[in-house]
Amino acid sequence: MINASEMVAKATVQPVLEVLPSQDPLPQIPIITSVTCCFVLSLLYVGSLYVWNTKHNRDHPATIKRRFTSVSVVMIFAPFFVWYFSSPELLSSEPFAKLLGFRWEGLWQAVVIPYGLTMLLFAGPIFVNCQNESIGSYFDLDYWRGCIHNIMWVRNHVMAPLSEEFVFRACMMPLILQSFSPMTAVFITPLFFGVAHLHHIAERLSLGVELSTALLIGLFQFIYTTLFGFYSAFLFARTGHIVAPFVVHAFCNHMGLPDLQDLWQQDMWRRVLAIVLYVAGLAGWILLLPIATSPSVYGNTLYWNV
């Protein structure tokens, strides 16, 4: 026989359970399936860069244009891996575009907030760059015309971030997230991203760089591309938008690695201020990262609802 206190407890708990969002994980697919798909996609992406028989280096306009074409073909076929190997239950319950990170809800937040957060991380380098370059150039229409007509700029700031984020985030993350928890997925997919950049070792060797130097540079590049991959995958999983990692990737390509030599060439007071901004920017980024990427801000209940 149910007493009055039990009846009150049930009446209180039931509405709460109905209000809370579902904590069920995504429909699962075998780990071997998701990992194999990501491995094949990585091979296709890197292979598309070398499918052409050319005597020119990677920065020659002819090489860049051909790689634009082959990478675009990979981008066309990559979503079929998500469509064919994803759980039928997931495909029937969610729009396919949403799985790839294309949706309207939270779009402007996904553009503005991650971009601003990353600018905070680069507060020190931005300050140093402002001492050496005129910030007014960014407001000059001729500057942007020159950028658009510079195929290397288009590669570094548009095509490379767009193609890499689409293949390595929009098409890999939905598969990995169907086999692993969000945090585990964030640490798995960047490994494919980092390994995919090791092909630059062969390019440096072809330019006459010593093997030991090429390997050392390649190892360093693997480390920082993998670290960026963690951040980019985290943004995709938290925001549910592909545009977030894309704009951040483009910005990071523009900034490049911090030039510490340039930092020490500044006047004493500028150097001290820059160091303070380096530290404060990193500390602020760490502190604000979980807040600024809260899934509720972006209406993301698909990939980070656990």
Side-chain angles (χ1 to χ4, degrees):
M1 184 175 180
I2 301 177
N3 58 34
S5 61
E6 291 176 339
M7 292 178 65
V8 172
K10 287 188 175 183
T12 304
V13 172
Q14 187 64 30
V16 174
L17 293 176
E18 291 175 355
V19 172
L20 290 175
S22 173
Q23 299 298 304
D24 295 334
L26 293 176
Q28 298 292 284
I29 60 176
I31 293 176
I32 187 65
T33 300
S34 59
V35 172
T36 301
C37 285
C38 292
F39 179 72
V40 172
L41 283 171
S42 298
L43 290 180
L44 289 175
Y45 187 91
V46 176
S48 71
L49 303 177
Y50 296 95
V51 70
W52 305 101
N53 184 16
T54 177
K55 61 182 179 180
H56 304 299
N57 62 34
R58 67 186 299 268
D59 292 330
H60 192 280
T63 302
I64 295 175
K65 290 177 182 178
R66 289 178 175 181
R67 288 184 170 185
F68 279 8
T69 301
S70 55
V71 165
S72 297
V73 173
V74 175
M75 291 175 65
I76 292 173
F77 283 98
F80 286 95
F81 282 79
V82 183
W83 176 78
Y84 188 80
F85 291 102
S86 289
S87 165
E89 181 184 349
L90 179 61
L91 292 174
S92 62
S93 62
E94 300 290 349
F96 186 68
K98 183 178 179 181
L99 298 183
L100 303 181
F102 294 96
R103 58 192 182 88
W104 291 110
E105 184 181 5
L107 179 60
W108 74 265
Q109 295 95 320
V111 174
V112 174
I113 297 176
Y115 196 88
L117 185 67
T118 309
M119 288 186 67
L120 175 62
L121 175 63
F122 280 84
I126 290 174
F127 173 77
V128 174
N129 287 352
C130 288
Q131 308 307 308
N132 304 328
E133 302 176 6
S134 173
I135 195 171
S137 63
Y138 294 113
F139 301 95
D140 185 357
L141 190 59
D142 290 334
Y143 168 81
W144 292 107
R145 286 199 187 103
C147 291
I148 293 173
H149 289 90
N150 184 333
I151 194 168
M152 288 183 61
W153 186 93
V154 174
R155 177 195 64 186
N156 296 338
H157 296 84
V158 180
M159 195 61 186
L162 178 62
S163 61
E164 290 180 0
E165 294 308 319
F166 184 75
V167 174
F168 288 89
R169 246 63 70 181
C171 295
M172 288 190 186
M173 284 291 286
L175 291 167
I176 291 293
L177 283 163
Q178 293 177 69
S179 298
F180 299 93
S181 68
M183 278 306 299
T184 304
V186 164
F187 282 94
I188 290 178
T189 53
L191 299 177
F192 296 102
F193 185 66
V195 170
H197 284 77
L198 291 179
H199 66 92
H200 291 301
I201 294 177
E203 292 182 342
R204 292 188 180 91
L205 291 175
S206 66
L207 295 175
V209 178
E210 293 184 0
L211 177 60
S212 58
T213 303
L215 290 175
L216 183 61
I217 296 175
L219 176 62
F220 180 70
Q221 189 170 28
F222 168 77
I223 293 173
Y224 78 73
T225 53
T226 301
L227 290 175
F228 172 79
F230 292 148
Y231 181 36
S232 185
F234 184 79
L235 288 176
F236 180 84
R238 295 277 285 183
T239 67
H241 281 280
I242 185 58
V243 69
F246 166 67
V247 296
V248 167
H249 192 152
F251 176 77
C252 289
N253 279 6
H254 172 71
M255 293 300 300
L257 290 174
D259 190 344
L260 298 181
Q261 182 178 0
D262 196 13
L263 169 64
W264 291 106
Q265 291 176 350
Q266 302 294 318
D267 295 337
M268 177 59 71
W269 75 268
R270 288 192 178 95
R271 189 187 313 164
V272 172
L273 180 56
I275 293 174
V276 170
L277 289 174
Y278 266 84
V279 176
L282 176 60
W285 178 79
I286 294 173
L287 179 65
L288 293 177
L289 180 61
I291 303 172
T293 61
S294 175
S296 60
V297 175
Y298 309 91
N300 177 28
T301 58
L302 176 61
Y303 289 138
W304 204 286
N305 63 341
V306 294

